[in-house]
Amino acid sequence: MTSSASLIPVVSYARISADIRRDSHGVKDQHKANRETAARYGWTVVHEFTDNDRSAAKFSVVRDDFESMLTALRAGRLADGTRIEGVVILAEDRLARRPGDYERFVEAFTFRDDRVFADQRGPKDLYSEDVESMGLFGAVISKMEVRKMQRRMRRSHRARAEEGRPVGGPRPFGWKDDRLTLEPREAELLAQAVKDFLSGRSLHSIVMDWQERGVKTARGNDWSVRSLKVALSSPRICGWREIAGELVRGPDGAPVQGLWEPVASSEQWAAVRAIFEGRKGHFVGRDMKVGRAHPADYRDHTYLLSGILRCGRRLPDGTMCNTPLRCNGPKDAGHHTYTCLSRAEGGCGGVSRRGDLVDMFVSEAVLAKLEEASSSSGPQDTEWPKAGELKDVEEQLDELTRQWNARQITNDFFFKLVPGLEQTINRLRGEKNKHEASIAAKAAQQETSASEVRRRWYLPEEEGGFPISVKRTYIRSAVHAVIMYPAGKGNKKFDPDLLDPVWRN
């Protein structure tokens, strides 16, 4: 009987591209087969490298354990010092599907002499040029097969999309396993999330609410801002389909309506998408222009007027400071304070005001504006003024295409004119989406009456009050900024006249 000390130490590598069941059964089965292969040849598996749910064909996918295995092969030992003298795999397509990866593996493997290698069919001598060439040729063939399969899948997805049929895969949140019928509870949550977001509520606030209520994704995971953004921005919610960032359209140019039940209207979806596209999570600079993007861990503001208040102190050169005020948290005074940044930080340090009183004044001013607008508002014109222009350009393109198909115009003439027309159509469609988004966003806000806004403004969030993100949306829609002028030295009584809202028209 062979002693364990005389067995050759090898590592097992397993990979699967898609772990649909999320139970790692595929890679576990591969490792089991690899251990049996090793035992047949008097080897022992001392470590298992696993890349579960990782494609080997995509250049953008990094296989962490594959890279770790290459490092260990070059070193001749694992991170804990265990010696390794070979590799066992199920099949070569589990190891590599791109020639470059196969070459890197052989280079690391042959970095040291006298190593062993085997797949389920038997051992192979990777030091032999013929064996290496055959393996490399196999990787090339595998890459070609992958590309053929990807092309077939793309054609299949396109055909299904044009017929309005859903594709396979895990069910999306809001629908049952057939991907056509709505799951009532989830669909209601998703529809409400669309309305809340259009009303100004932040994704983070919705996610926190869902997590507190125990709402999970279709795969049973906790919701995140990223996953909710993906769900809301998907055209599936209104019954449409998107491929490579473009809506799937029929011969008439209109989006193909899917066979599944929608949870929102196309106008609501367009409004959601326009908000995402329009803001892209950027900060607003002093000149009120869109600045740098929010960091990945950006969250809701803690205080109501952060970034909205501006310093109104006059500088020695006669210009206004205009620095966004910082909010300092409550200390001994028991309330927060809005303060201009110091000179070293780019401000003047000359303005500071009690935060709770400023919040109260600005809140009342905005609520009064909402009530005034509510009492004087009349029917709004929802007609997009450039609808006729878009129709004309689309008809020009249709007529040009008809003449080209009938061979009444040359290829050179046709392909010179088409790009310009298509560019104009795309621009006008973008403007139309923004217009519809603006109408939908206003309609979402108008669903809540001014008196209801006032009632919920001061309620705690757990009692139905507005999250701070919704309040900030109402304030942002009413004012460009609020200028805070200096009150002078010493403790003075709060003077609301030193706050100057810059109202939007």
mmCIF file with all atom_site columns, all heavy atoms in Angstrom, residues 141-155:
data_model
loop_
_atom_site.group_PDB
_atom_site.id
_atom_site.type_symbol
_atom_site.label_atom_id
_atom_site.label_alt_id
_atom_site.label_comp_id
_atom_site.label_asym_id
_atom_site.label_entity_id
_atom_site.label_seq_id
_atom_site.pdbx_PDB_ins_code
_atom_site.Cartn_x
_atom_site.Cartn_y
_atom_site.Cartn_z
_atom_site.occupancy
_atom_site.B_iso_or_equiv
_atom_site.pdbx_formal_charge
_atom_site.auth_seq_id
_atom_site.auth_comp_id
_atom_site.auth_asym_id
_atom_site.auth_atom_id
_atom_site.pdbx_PDB_model_num
ATOM 1   N N   . ILE A 1 141 ? -9.447  26.389 -31.022 1.00 0.00 ? 141 ILE A N   1
ATOM 2   C CA  . ILE A 1 141 ? -10.724 25.833 -31.476 1.00 0.00 ? 141 ILE A CA  1
ATOM 3   C C   . ILE A 1 141 ? -11.827 26.166 -30.469 1.00 0.00 ? 141 ILE A C   1
ATOM 4   O O   . ILE A 1 141 ? -12.959 26.526 -30.840 1.00 0.00 ? 141 ILE A O   1
ATOM 5   C CB  . ILE A 1 141 ? -10.612 24.309 -31.667 1.00 0.00 ? 141 ILE A CB  1
ATOM 6   C CG1 . ILE A 1 141 ? -9.609  23.985 -32.775 1.00 0.00 ? 141 ILE A CG1 1
ATOM 7   C CG2 . ILE A 1 141 ? -11.972 23.705 -31.977 1.00 0.00 ? 141 ILE A CG2 1
ATOM 8   C CD1 . ILE A 1 141 ? -9.979  24.539 -34.130 1.00 0.00 ? 141 ILE A CD1 1
ATOM 9   N N   . SER A 1 142 ? -11.498 26.053 -29.182 1.00 0.00 ? 142 SER A N   1
ATOM 10  C CA  . SER A 1 142 ? -12.480 26.366 -28.138 1.00 0.00 ? 142 SER A CA  1
ATOM 11  C C   . SER A 1 142 ? -12.928 27.819 -28.234 1.00 0.00 ? 142 SER A C   1
ATOM 12  O O   . SER A 1 142 ? -14.115 28.121 -28.098 1.00 0.00 ? 142 SER A O   1
ATOM 13  C CB  . SER A 1 142 ? -11.886 26.083 -26.760 1.00 0.00 ? 142 SER A CB  1
ATOM 14  O OG  . SER A 1 142 ? -12.797 26.429 -25.737 1.00 0.00 ? 142 SER A OG  1
ATOM 15  N N   . LYS A 1 143 ? -11.956 28.722 -28.489 1.00 0.00 ? 143 LYS A N   1
ATOM 16  C CA  . LYS A 1 143 ? -12.304 30.138 -28.615 1.00 0.00 ? 143 LYS A CA  1
ATOM 17  C C   . LYS A 1 143 ? -13.221 30.368 -29.808 1.00 0.00 ? 143 LYS A C   1
ATOM 18  O O   . LYS A 1 143 ? -14.187 31.143 -29.736 1.00 0.00 ? 143 LYS A O   1
ATOM 19  C CB  . LYS A 1 143 ? -11.028 30.959 -28.760 1.00 0.00 ? 143 LYS A CB  1
ATOM 20  C CG  . LYS A 1 143 ? -11.255 32.458 -28.847 1.00 0.00 ? 143 LYS A CG  1
ATOM 21  C CD  . LYS A 1 143 ? -9.938  33.196 -28.935 1.00 0.00 ? 143 LYS A CD  1
ATOM 22  C CE  . LYS A 1 143 ? -10.164 34.704 -29.012 1.00 0.00 ? 143 LYS A CE  1
ATOM 23  N NZ  . LYS A 1 143 ? -8.881  35.443 -29.101 1.00 0.00 ? 143 LYS A NZ  1
ATOM 24  N N   . MET A 1 144 ? -12.933 29.667 -30.925 1.00 0.00 ? 144 MET A N   1
ATOM 25  C CA  . MET A 1 144 ? -13.793 29.805 -32.099 1.00 0.00 ? 144 MET A CA  1
ATOM 26  C C   . MET A 1 144 ? -15.193 29.291 -31.817 1.00 0.00 ? 144 MET A C   1
ATOM 27  O O   . MET A 1 144 ? -16.191 29.904 -32.233 1.00 0.00 ? 144 MET A O   1
ATOM 28  C CB  . MET A 1 144 ? -13.165 29.041 -33.271 1.00 0.00 ? 144 MET A CB  1
ATOM 29  C CG  . MET A 1 144 ? -11.849 29.632 -33.775 1.00 0.00 ? 144 MET A CG  1
ATOM 30  S SD  . MET A 1 144 ? -11.011 28.564 -34.990 1.00 0.00 ? 144 MET A SD  1
ATOM 31  C CE  . MET A 1 144 ? -12.260 28.461 -36.263 1.00 0.00 ? 144 MET A CE  1
ATOM 32  N N   . GLU A 1 145 ? -15.288 28.173 -31.087 1.00 0.00 ? 145 GLU A N   1
ATOM 33  C CA  . GLU A 1 145 ? -16.598 27.623 -30.751 1.00 0.00 ? 145 GLU A CA  1
ATOM 34  C C   . GLU A 1 145 ? -17.377 28.581 -29.848 1.00 0.00 ? 145 GLU A C   1
ATOM 35  O O   . GLU A 1 145 ? -18.589 28.746 -29.993 1.00 0.00 ? 145 GLU A O   1
ATOM 36  C CB  . GLU A 1 145 ? -16.431 26.262 -30.074 1.00 0.00 ? 145 GLU A CB  1
ATOM 37  C CG  . GLU A 1 145 ? -16.013 25.154 -31.011 1.00 0.00 ? 145 GLU A CG  1
ATOM 38  C CD  . GLU A 1 145 ? -17.051 24.893 -32.091 1.00 0.00 ? 145 GLU A CD  1
ATOM 39  O OE1 . GLU A 1 145 ? -18.259 24.988 -31.794 1.00 0.00 ? 145 GLU A OE1 1
ATOM 40  O OE2 . GLU A 1 145 ? -16.671 24.611 -33.243 1.00 0.00 ? 145 GLU A OE2 1
ATOM 41  N N   . VAL A 1 146 ? -16.651 29.186 -28.907 1.00 0.00 ? 146 VAL A N   1
ATOM 42  C CA  . VAL A 1 146 ? -17.308 30.140 -27.999 1.00 0.00 ? 146 VAL A CA  1
ATOM 43  C C   . VAL A 1 146 ? -17.873 31.310 -28.798 1.00 0.00 ? 146 VAL A C   1
ATOM 44  O O   . VAL A 1 146 ? -19.002 31.765 -28.560 1.00 0.00 ? 146 VAL A O   1
ATOM 45  C CB  . VAL A 1 146 ? -16.316 30.642 -26.931 1.00 0.00 ? 146 VAL A CB  1
ATOM 46  C CG1 . VAL A 1 146 ? -16.879 31.858 -26.191 1.00 0.00 ? 146 VAL A CG1 1
ATOM 47  C CG2 . VAL A 1 146 ? -16.016 29.533 -25.938 1.00 0.00 ? 146 VAL A CG2 1
ATOM 48  N N   . ARG A 1 147 ? -17.100 31.809 -29.756 1.00 0.00 ? 147 ARG A N   1
ATOM 49  C CA  . ARG A 1 147 ? -17.575 32.932 -30.559 1.00 0.00 ? 147 ARG A CA  1
ATOM 50  C C   . ARG A 1 147 ? -18.791 32.545 -31.391 1.00 0.00 ? 147 ARG A C   1
ATOM 51  O O   . ARG A 1 147 ? -19.739 33.327 -31.529 1.00 0.00 ? 147 ARG A O   1
ATOM 52  C CB  . ARG A 1 147 ? -16.447 33.424 -31.465 1.00 0.00 ? 147 ARG A CB  1
ATOM 53  C CG  . ARG A 1 147 ? -15.364 34.205 -30.716 1.00 0.00 ? 147 ARG A CG  1
ATOM 54  C CD  . ARG A 1 147 ? -14.292 34.704 -31.657 1.00 0.00 ? 147 ARG A CD  1
ATOM 55  N NE  . ARG A 1 147 ? -13.342 35.567 -30.960 1.00 0.00 ? 147 ARG A NE  1
ATOM 56  C CZ  . ARG A 1 147 ? -12.240 36.056 -31.511 1.00 0.00 ? 147 ARG A CZ  1
ATOM 57  N NH1 . ARG A 1 147 ? -11.951 35.758 -32.769 1.00 0.00 ? 147 ARG A NH1 1
ATOM 58  N NH2 . ARG A 1 147 ? -11.432 36.824 -30.822 1.00 0.00 ? 147 ARG A NH2 1
ATOM 59  N N   . LYS A 1 148 ? -18.764 31.346 -31.958 1.00 0.00 ? 148 LYS A N   1
ATOM 60  C CA  . LYS A 1 148 ? -19.925 30.878 -32.722 1.00 0.00 ? 148 LYS A CA  1
ATOM 61  C C   . LYS A 1 148 ? -21.150 30.778 -31.820 1.00 0.00 ? 148 LYS A C   1
ATOM 62  O O   . LYS A 1 148 ? -22.252 31.177 -32.192 1.00 0.00 ? 148 LYS A O   1
ATOM 63  C CB  . LYS A 1 148 ? -19.618 29.522 -33.351 1.00 0.00 ? 148 LYS A CB  1
ATOM 64  C CG  . LYS A 1 148 ? -18.674 29.591 -34.552 1.00 0.00 ? 148 LYS A CG  1
ATOM 65  C CD  . LYS A 1 148 ? -18.242 28.204 -35.013 1.00 0.00 ? 148 LYS A CD  1
ATOM 66  C CE  . LYS A 1 148 ? -19.419 27.362 -35.428 1.00 0.00 ? 148 LYS A CE  1
ATOM 67  N NZ  . LYS A 1 148 ? -18.975 26.017 -35.899 1.00 0.00 ? 148 LYS A NZ  1
ATOM 68  N N   . MET A 1 149 ? -20.943 30.244 -30.605 1.00 0.00 ? 149 MET A N   1
ATOM 69  C CA  . MET A 1 149 ? -22.051 30.103 -29.667 1.00 0.00 ? 149 MET A CA  1
ATOM 70  C C   . MET A 1 149 ? -22.587 31.473 -29.251 1.00 0.00 ? 149 MET A C   1
ATOM 71  O O   . MET A 1 149 ? -23.804 31.668 -29.143 1.00 0.00 ? 149 MET A O   1
ATOM 72  C CB  . MET A 1 149 ? -21.584 29.324 -28.443 1.00 0.00 ? 149 MET A CB  1
ATOM 73  C CG  . MET A 1 149 ? -22.668 29.070 -27.405 1.00 0.00 ? 149 MET A CG  1
ATOM 74  S SD  . MET A 1 149 ? -22.085 27.984 -26.092 1.00 0.00 ? 149 MET A SD  1
ATOM 75  C CE  . MET A 1 149 ? -20.745 28.953 -25.422 1.00 0.00 ? 149 MET A CE  1
ATOM 76  N N   . GLN A 1 150 ? -21.672 32.434 -29.028 1.00 0.00 ? 150 GLN A N   1
ATOM 77  C CA  . GLN A 1 150 ? -22.103 33.776 -28.650 1.00 0.00 ? 150 GLN A CA  1
ATOM 78  C C   . GLN A 1 150 ? -22.906 34.430 -29.766 1.00 0.00 ? 150 GLN A C   1
ATOM 79  O O   . GLN A 1 150 ? -23.896 35.120 -29.502 1.00 0.00 ? 150 GLN A O   1
ATOM 80  C CB  . GLN A 1 150 ? -20.878 34.623 -28.297 1.00 0.00 ? 150 GLN A CB  1
ATOM 81  C CG  . GLN A 1 150 ? -20.214 34.229 -26.987 1.00 0.00 ? 150 GLN A CG  1
ATOM 82  C CD  . GLN A 1 150 ? -18.915 34.959 -26.754 1.00 0.00 ? 150 GLN A CD  1
ATOM 83  O OE1 . GLN A 1 150 ? -18.311 35.509 -27.685 1.00 0.00 ? 150 GLN A OE1 1
ATOM 84  N NE2 . GLN A 1 150 ? -18.460 34.992 -25.506 1.00 0.00 ? 150 GLN A NE2 1
ATOM 85  N N   . ARG A 1 151 ? -22.469 34.218 -31.023 1.00 0.00 ? 151 ARG A N   1
ATOM 86  C CA  . ARG A 1 151 ? -23.224 34.780 -32.148 1.00 0.00 ? 151 ARG A CA  1
ATOM 87  C C   . ARG A 1 151 ? -24.613 34.160 -32.240 1.00 0.00 ? 151 ARG A C   1
ATOM 88  O O   . ARG A 1 151 ? -25.606 34.860 -32.494 1.00 0.00 ? 151 ARG A O   1
ATOM 89  C CB  . ARG A 1 151 ? -22.452 34.576 -33.456 1.00 0.00 ? 151 ARG A CB  1
ATOM 90  C CG  . ARG A 1 151 ? -21.247 35.484 -33.618 1.00 0.00 ? 151 ARG A CG  1
ATOM 91  C CD  . ARG A 1 151 ? -20.760 35.491 -35.067 1.00 0.00 ? 151 ARG A CD  1
ATOM 92  N NE  . ARG A 1 151 ? -20.223 34.202 -35.460 1.00 0.00 ? 151 ARG A NE  1
ATOM 93  C CZ  . ARG A 1 151 ? -18.955 33.840 -35.360 1.00 0.00 ? 151 ARG A CZ  1
ATOM 94  N NH1 . ARG A 1 151 ? -18.078 34.690 -34.843 1.00 0.00 ? 151 ARG A NH1 1
ATOM 95  N NH2 . ARG A 1 151 ? -18.549 32.649 -35.771 1.00 0.00 ? 151 ARG A NH2 1
ATOM 96  N N   . ARG A 1 152 ? -24.695 32.835 -32.026 1.00 0.00 ? 152 ARG A N   1
ATOM 97  C CA  . ARG A 1 152 ? -26.011 32.180 -32.063 1.00 0.00 ? 152 ARG A CA  1
ATOM 98  C C   . ARG A 1 152 ? -26.907 32.701 -30.949 1.00 0.00 ? 152 ARG A C   1
ATOM 99  O O   . ARG A 1 152 ? -28.109 32.931 -31.165 1.00 0.00 ? 152 ARG A O   1
ATOM 100 C CB  . ARG A 1 152 ? -25.836 30.666 -31.930 1.00 0.00 ? 152 ARG A CB  1
ATOM 101 C CG  . ARG A 1 152 ? -25.263 29.989 -33.163 1.00 0.00 ? 152 ARG A CG  1
ATOM 102 C CD  . ARG A 1 152 ? -25.500 28.482 -33.122 1.00 0.00 ? 152 ARG A CD  1
ATOM 103 N NE  . ARG A 1 152 ? -24.878 27.868 -31.956 1.00 0.00 ? 152 ARG A NE  1
ATOM 104 C CZ  . ARG A 1 152 ? -23.651 27.356 -31.958 1.00 0.00 ? 152 ARG A CZ  1
ATOM 105 N NH1 . ARG A 1 152 ? -22.913 27.409 -33.051 1.00 0.00 ? 152 ARG A NH1 1
ATOM 106 N NH2 . ARG A 1 152 ? -23.163 26.788 -30.871 1.00 0.00 ? 152 ARG A NH2 1
ATOM 107 N N   . MET A 1 153 ? -26.314 32.902 -29.776 1.00 0.00 ? 153 MET A N   1
ATOM 108 C CA  . MET A 1 153 ? -27.110 33.407 -28.650 1.00 0.00 ? 153 MET A CA  1
ATOM 109 C C   . MET A 1 153 ? -27.593 34.822 -28.921 1.00 0.00 ? 153 MET A C   1
ATOM 110 O O   . MET A 1 153 ? -28.736 35.162 -28.607 1.00 0.00 ? 153 MET A O   1
ATOM 111 C CB  . MET A 1 153 ? -26.282 33.355 -27.369 1.00 0.00 ? 153 MET A CB  1
ATOM 112 C CG  . MET A 1 153 ? -26.011 31.963 -26.849 1.00 0.00 ? 153 MET A CG  1
ATOM 113 S SD  . MET A 1 153 ? -25.019 31.951 -25.344 1.00 0.00 ? 153 MET A SD  1
ATOM 114 C CE  . MET A 1 153 ? -26.115 32.820 -24.222 1.00 0.00 ? 153 MET A CE  1
ATOM 115 N N   . ARG A 1 154 ? -26.719 35.658 -29.505 1.00 0.00 ? 154 ARG A N   1
ATOM 116 C CA  . ARG A 1 154 ? -27.143 37.026 -29.807 1.00 0.00 ? 154 ARG A CA  1
ATOM 117 C C   . ARG A 1 154 ? -28.280 37.036 -30.819 1.00 0.00 ? 154 ARG A C   1
ATOM 118 O O   . ARG A 1 154 ? -29.237 37.799 -30.691 1.00 0.00 ? 154 ARG A O   1
ATOM 119 C CB  . ARG A 1 154 ? -25.946 37.843 -30.323 1.00 0.00 ? 154 ARG A CB  1
ATOM 120 C CG  . ARG A 1 154 ? -24.963 38.259 -29.259 1.00 0.00 ? 154 ARG A CG  1
ATOM 121 C CD  . ARG A 1 154 ? -24.038 39.355 -29.758 1.00 0.00 ? 154 ARG A CD  1
ATOM 122 N NE  . ARG A 1 154 ? -23.165 38.881 -30.820 1.00 0.00 ? 154 ARG A NE  1
ATOM 123 C CZ  . ARG A 1 154 ? -21.946 38.388 -30.642 1.00 0.00 ? 154 ARG A CZ  1
ATOM 124 N NH1 . ARG A 1 154 ? -21.466 38.282 -29.403 1.00 0.00 ? 154 ARG A NH1 1
ATOM 125 N NH2 . ARG A 1 154 ? -21.210 38.005 -31.657 1.00 0.00 ? 154 ARG A NH2 1
ATOM 126 N N   . ARG A 1 155 ? -28.162 36.188 -31.855 1.00 0.00 ? 155 ARG A N   1
ATOM 127 C CA  . ARG A 1 155 ? -29.246 36.106 -32.845 1.00 0.00 ? 155 ARG A CA  1
ATOM 128 C C   . ARG A 1 155 ? -30.540 35.607 -32.210 1.00 0.00 ? 155 ARG A C   1
ATOM 129 O O   . ARG A 1 155 ? -31.632 36.102 -32.516 1.00 0.00 ? 155 ARG A O   1
ATOM 130 C CB  . ARG A 1 155 ? -28.825 35.194 -33.999 1.00 0.00 ? 155 ARG A CB  1
ATOM 131 C CG  . ARG A 1 155 ? -27.790 35.794 -34.929 1.00 0.00 ? 155 ARG A CG  1
ATOM 132 C CD  . ARG A 1 155 ? -27.702 35.008 -36.237 1.00 0.00 ? 155 ARG A CD  1
ATOM 133 N NE  . ARG A 1 155 ? -27.194 33.659 -36.028 1.00 0.00 ? 155 ARG A NE  1
ATOM 134 C CZ  . ARG A 1 155 ? -25.917 33.314 -36.125 1.00 0.00 ? 155 ARG A CZ  1
ATOM 135 N NH1 . ARG A 1 155 ? -25.019 34.233 -36.438 1.00 0.00 ? 155 ARG A NH1 1
ATOM 136 N NH2 . ARG A 1 155 ? -25.544 32.054 -35.948 1.00 0.00 ? 155 ARG A NH2 1
#
